[in-house]
Amino acid sequence: MRILVVEDEKRLASYLAKGLRENGYAVDVAHDGEEGARLARSGIYDAIVLDILLPKQSGFEVIRAVRREGVSTPILCLTARGEPNDRITGLDLGADDYLPKPFNFAEVLARLRALLRRSPRMAPTVLQCADLALDPATRRVTRAGKEIDLTPREYALLEFLLRRAGTVVTRSALIEGIWDINFDSLTNVLDVLVNRLRTKVDVPFPQKLIHTVRSVGYVLSEEPS
Ligand code: CA
């Protein structure tokens, strides 16, 4: 899943980005409202973390602009402490939730998970293929009832494939969904990650679910491709 962080305080922005990446999200960062609105309009994000006090365009203006253009990505606003009017304005304009500063990172994660669960693109159901199951609410993965321990990146890859089970996912779509804009797609790190995931999810079991589609990408499916 891909998150856009719009925050002009550079240290806070990189703290948020680092924490989110450690939890398996792909993250892009914008340092002003104008750039934030431009990236948000692309519609490629699953959620946006948006500061209100920003140079060039305020967070309010960003919300207004993207909602007017029909972008329905869930937005979590970061508001200054003790500014109840900011919260009301933000929610009225179309933000989905807010978090007063200073916040604790665990709460950012919890609120994002809640927003992603409510989002129509992210149905709150357990994702399944054959005897492999992934619960986005608890991030628990099992195969044949046995719990499988995945790193955040492996989890992100599996969730991405499971949400598109039965359809071929191209290498570039996978790279875009799991890593950041600046990721160098010429490296073989995708293949390395897929192999690590296979070792945990497929190798110990007779039925293989992750299939390579030569020179295109991968498909997760019960049927061999
Ligand atoms: Ca700010």
Side-chain angles (χ1 to χ4, degrees):
M1 267 186 269
R2 194 178 193 94
I3 312 281
L4 172 63
V5 172
V6 190
E7 167 62 67
D8 59 318
E9 237 176 279
K10 297 234 162 104
R11 276 180 57 189
L12 181 56
S14 56
Y15 166 77
L16 281 167
K18 181 168 174 282
L20 290 169
R21 285 181 187 127
E22 282 167 5
N23 281 274
Y25 296 102
V27 183
D28 297 319
V29 176
H31 293 296
D32 64 63
E34 217 169 80
E35 193 194 358
R38 184 177 60 75
L39 289 173
R41 276 190 195 100
S42 68
I44 63 168
Y45 297 99
D46 298 295
I48 300 169
V49 178
L50 177 67
D51 187 30
I52 295 301
L53 283 174
L54 289 167
K56 296 190 184 170
Q57 258 181 45
S58 76
F60 294 142
E61 289 172 287
V62 174
I63 301 171
R64 198 180 288 126
V66 300
R67 289 296 186 247
R68 198 169 44 213
E69 288 172 36
V71 175
S72 60
T73 311
I75 298 177
L76 172 63
C77 282
L78 303 177
T79 61
R81 191 207 274 282
E83 292 285 350
N85 287 338
D86 278 5
R87 303 203 281 273
I88 296 162
T89 310
L91 294 171
D92 278 348
L93 285 174
D96 298 272
D97 198 3
Y98 64 87
L99 196 55
K101 287 181 177 177
F103 48 78
N104 111 16
F105 186 72
E107 196 170 357
V108 176
L109 281 179
R111 290 192 186 233
L112 277 176
R113 280 198 300 270
L115 284 184
L116 293 167
R117 273 202 297 278
R118 291 207 296 267
S119 157
R121 277 165 73 186
M122 302 288 157
T125 46
V126 172
L127 304 170
Q128 221 157 349
C129 182
D131 55 356
L132 172 68
L134 177 151
D135 184 350
T138 58
R139 299 173 77 85
R140 196 166 165 261
V141 174
T142 58
R143 178 129 196 219
K146 255 183 62 189
E147 185 143 2
I148 297 176
D149 203 24
L150 298 180
T151 64
R153 199 73 93 185
E154 291 161 3
Y155 175 91
L157 171 63
L158 181 62
E159 183 178 11
F160 200 89
L161 287 171
L162 264 170
R163 286 193 186 282
R164 295 153 185 84
T167 54
V168 176
V169 184
T170 63
R171 297 178 59 85
S172 58
L174 273 170
I175 286 164
E176 200 181 283
I178 299 168
W179 284 280
D180 309 324
I181 276 171
N182 299 322
F183 181 77
D184 176 7
S185 60
L186 295 174
T187 67
N188 69 342
V189 49
L190 174 63
D191 307 275
V192 172
L193 183 65
V194 170
N195 279 336
R196 285 212 322 256
L197 184 62
R198 274 183 168 141
T199 307
K200 293 182 179 178
V201 164
D202 263 353
V203 171
F205 302 92
Q207 186 185 11
K208 308 305 173 204
L209 298 175
I210 301 169
H211 310 284
T212 305
V213 183
R214 279 238 296 183
S215 67
V216 179
Y218 296 93
V219 59
L220 192 146
S221 145
E222 291 188 46
E223 313 291 324
S225 55

